[in-house]
């Protein structure tokens, strides 16, 4: 009988500890599950780090518009400045509840970490990838006064005039700056860099003939190409664009392996519940898959990504982080 009386005493404390541990775990899990089930409980904001009208802003608004039809209010908020760093920091410090998102491109998670001496956010630790939405290539564009019609002709033209031509970028350390510096390194050309504050001013400088060449997105020059005010010589993607099927790739134009583009996607603050991340992923994927949205995005000269998991976007972020480590160094750009 004594042994029977001791039995509960021996197993009681472990059982009690197990029950308390289980209850503690439930105390954490239940609110998370409840939050996921009621999400979204208020308007969802997609923060863009650039001015209205730019490519990321246009894409974010297309996605938000389509998501709003089934999600309720999804709005776009512009917080431009410091090449997207202000917006990135704002979202990184926001509550991880899925109501504040960041529409990021390669600059924020792959270029800026190597460009700035110090960032107010960590692109890996402070964010949770949601979904990769699109690939934004750059196009080699030249002013009509440049007497060339192919990339090979332009390379020869530039080599014959070292230091006499200039190119526009949307700022030191931008994807446009880095791409052109890589182009110069590969082709052995000497072209002067003229940075501008945004794609708009850079495109206008090319139109005015202030610079002779620029690697720009199609959205920056589309209407001017149609009007014959600028010429596009090549696209920096391995495939031709559906919007401009007549434009050859850099590989076809004589530079095999030359690929430079920006990856755009949605990120949430680190710590956002996985169930909410999954719901966001599905919601954005459905918006991009909509034929009207897909057609409009394709018309901007980009390649949309149908589906894709958060893990796949995370892998893209890590790969580009390593790629641009070398390319930023090659460009010589450094910002405080």
């Amino acid at each position: 009988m004594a042994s029977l009386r001791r039995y509960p005493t021996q197993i009681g404390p472990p059982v009690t500890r197990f029950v308390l541990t289980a209850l503690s775990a439930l105390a954490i899990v239940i609110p998370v599950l409840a939050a996921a089930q009621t999400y979204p409980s208020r308007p969802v904001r997609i923060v863009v780090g650039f001015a209205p009208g730019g490519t990321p802003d246009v894409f974010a608004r297309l996605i938000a518009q389509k998501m709003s039809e089934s999600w309720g209010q999804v709005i776009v908020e512009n917080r431009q400045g410091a090449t997207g760093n202000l917006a990135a920091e704002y979202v990184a410090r926001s509550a991880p509840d899925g109501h504040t998102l960041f529409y990021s491109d390669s600059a924020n998670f792959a270029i800026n970490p190597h460009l700035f001496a110090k960032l107010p956010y960590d692109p890996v630790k402070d964010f949770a990838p949601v979904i990769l939405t699109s690939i934004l290539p750059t196009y080699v564009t030249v002013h009509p006064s440049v007497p060339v019609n192919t990339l090979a002709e332009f390379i020869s033209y530039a080599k014959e005039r070292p230091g006499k031509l200039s190119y526009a970028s949307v700022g030191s350390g931008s994807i446009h700056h880095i791409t052109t510096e890589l182009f110069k390194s590969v082709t052995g050309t000497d072209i002067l860099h003229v940075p501008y504050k945004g794609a708009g001013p850079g495109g206008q400088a090319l139109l005015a003939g202030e610079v002779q060449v620029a690697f720009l997105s199609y959205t920056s020059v589309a209407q001017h190409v149609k009007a014959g005010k600028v010429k596009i010589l090549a696209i920096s993607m391995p495939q031709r664009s559906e919007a401009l099927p007549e434009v050859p790739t850099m590989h076809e134009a004589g530079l095999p392996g030359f690929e430079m583009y920006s990856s755009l996607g949605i990120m949430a603050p680190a710590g956002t519940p996985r169930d909410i991340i999954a719901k966001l992923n599905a919601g954005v994927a459905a918006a991009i898959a909509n034929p009207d949205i897909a057609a409009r995005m394709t018309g901007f000269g980009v390649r949309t990504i149908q589906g894709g998991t958060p893990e796949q976007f995370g892998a893209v972020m890590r790969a580009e982080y390593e790629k641009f480590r070398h390319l930023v160094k090659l460009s010589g750009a450094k910002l405080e």
Side-chain angles (χ1 to χ4, degrees):
M1 295 295 293
S3 63
L4 290 176
R5 284 195 297 270
R6 284 197 300 271
Y7 185 72
T9 304
Q10 291 172 344
I11 69 168
V15 170
T16 301
R17 285 196 295 271
F18 173 79
V19 171
L20 290 175
T21 301
L23 289 174
S24 298
L26 286 173
I28 297 173
V29 172
I30 289 174
V32 171
L33 291 175
Q37 290 173 353
T38 59
Y39 173 82
S41 57
R42 60 180 186 276
V44 174
R45 291 182 298 162
I46 302 177
V47 180
V48 177
F50 302 96
T55 303
D57 176 73
V58 171
F59 293 170
R61 292 182 186 279
L62 287 174
I63 293 169
Q65 177 184 1
K66 182 54 61 176
M67 289 181 68
S68 293
E69 294 176 5
S70 56
W71 280 54
Q73 194 173 20
V74 180
I75 59 177
V76 173
E77 180 178 324
N78 300 89
R79 287 179 174 261
Q80 62 264 36
T83 65
N85 289 341
L86 295 181
E89 181 184 15
Y90 175 76
V91 176
R93 304 291 177 258
S94 298
D97 56 12
H99 290 92
T100 305
L101 309 173
F102 183 40
Y103 196 55
S104 173
D105 66 7
S106 296
N108 305 116
F109 58 78
I111 297 176
N112 289 355
H114 307 302
L115 180 64
F116 288 84
K118 186 177 181 181
L119 281 181
Y121 64 92
D122 186 307
V124 177
K125 296 179 180 179
D126 292 342
F127 292 97
V130 174
I131 188 170
L132 178 67
T133 63
S134 52
I135 301 296
L136 180 64
T138 54
Y139 294 80
V140 186
T141 58
V142 297
H143 189 267
S145 64
V146 181
V148 302
N149 292 303
T150 68
L151 186 64
E153 290 176 353
F154 175 76
I155 293 172
S156 297
Y157 183 80
K159 283 184 174 181
E160 294 169 357
R161 297 163 177 78
K164 301 297 183 181
L165 305 180
S166 57
Y167 76 89
S169 81
V170 301
S172 183
S174 65
I175 185 78
H176 314 83
H177 175 206
I178 293 171
T179 299
T180 315
E181 289 300 318
L182 177 61
F183 174 81
K184 289 167 53 180
S185 176
V186 169
T187 59
T189 52
D190 180 12
I191 309 172
L192 301 178
H193 177 214
V194 182
Y196 290 86
K197 294 183 178 180
Q204 289 299 320
L206 180 65
L207 285 172
E210 297 173 12
V211 297
Q212 290 73 48
V213 61
F215 279 74
L216 295 171
S217 65
Y218 182 53
T219 51
S220 303
V221 296
Q223 60 180 335
H224 308 304
V225 171
K226 295 173 182 177
K229 296 180 179 180
V230 297
K231 294 185 287 188
I232 293 184
L233 304 181
I235 180 177
S236 63
M237 285 288 291
Q239 308 91 13
R240 293 195 180 198
S241 167
E242 292 182 37
L244 296 168
E246 71 282 2
V247 175
T249 67
M250 299 287 274
H251 175 83
E252 294 170 330
L255 291 181
F258 193 104
E259 299 177 13
M260 284 292 286
Y261 49 82
S262 183
S263 300
L264 283 72
I266 289 182
M267 302 158 66
T272 302
R274 292 179 63 87
D275 286 353
I276 290 180
I277 294 290
K279 189 171 183 178
L280 279 166
N281 179 278
V284 176
I288 297 171
N290 179 274
D292 293 337
I293 301 300
R296 291 186 65 183
M297 293 180 76
T298 299
F300 286 117
V302 306
R303 182 164 64 89
T304 56
I305 307 298
Q306 298 299 328
T309 66
E311 290 74 22
Q312 288 172 327
F313 184 24
V316 168
M317 290 170 60
R318 291 188 294 273
E320 293 203 359
Y321 180 92
E322 293 303 323
K323 178 180 77 173
F324 282 103
R325 183 198 300 274
H326 164 70
L327 294 178
V328 170
K329 185 176 181 180
L330 174 68
S331 74
K334 204 68 179 176
L335 299 177
E336 296 297 329

